[in-house]
Amino acid sequence: MASELESIPDKPKELEKIGQAIDGRWPHVVGMDVEEAVAAIKSTHPELHVHSVPEGAMVTMDMRMDRVRVWFGADKKVVNPPHIG
């Protein structure tokens, strides 16, 4: 029984690793499901406002250091590396 439990991945730790930023960017989430990518970023950076945005949607052009936009395509996969701004 113990060996079965060891093979189950620890989802919170997995999200924490994925949610780590590289110079304010998350290039490693490209191709992921948008909801998983947003959850991963929020899990390690709760101070940020993380928004999922459909590709091609109109957004404001202001720069905000507390915001991350996660752009996704019709297949609900992340299409561009999210970044702070």
Side-chain angles (χ1 to χ4, degrees), residues 55-71:
E55 189 175 30
M58 293 180 67
V59 295
T60 61
M61 297 299 291
D62 60 326
M63 180 65 117
R64 293 191 50 170
M65 299 310 290
D66 65 343
R67 177 179 61 207
V68 176
R69 291 184 176 136
V70 182
W71 295 88

Side-chain angles (χ1 to χ4, degrees), residues 18-41:
I18 293 169
Q20 294 296 324
I22 302 168
D23 295 328
R25 298 182 152 281
W26 290 265
H28 47 283
V29 303
V30 172
M32 280 180 64
D33 176 76
V34 67
E35 297 300 325
E36 287 183 11
V38 167
I41 295 168

Side-chain angles (χ1 to χ4, degrees), residues 54-55 72-77 79:
E55 189 175 30
F72 66 93
D75 59 357
K76 303 288 187 193
K77 303 289 184 194
V79 294

Side-chain angles (χ1 to χ4, degrees), residues 3-17:
S3 62
E4 289 176 16
L5 293 177
E6 290 172 6
S7 66
I8 298 171
D10 187 352
K11 195 69 165 179
K13 287 188 186 246
E14 181 181 314
L15 287 177
E16 184 177 318
K17 182 178 178 184

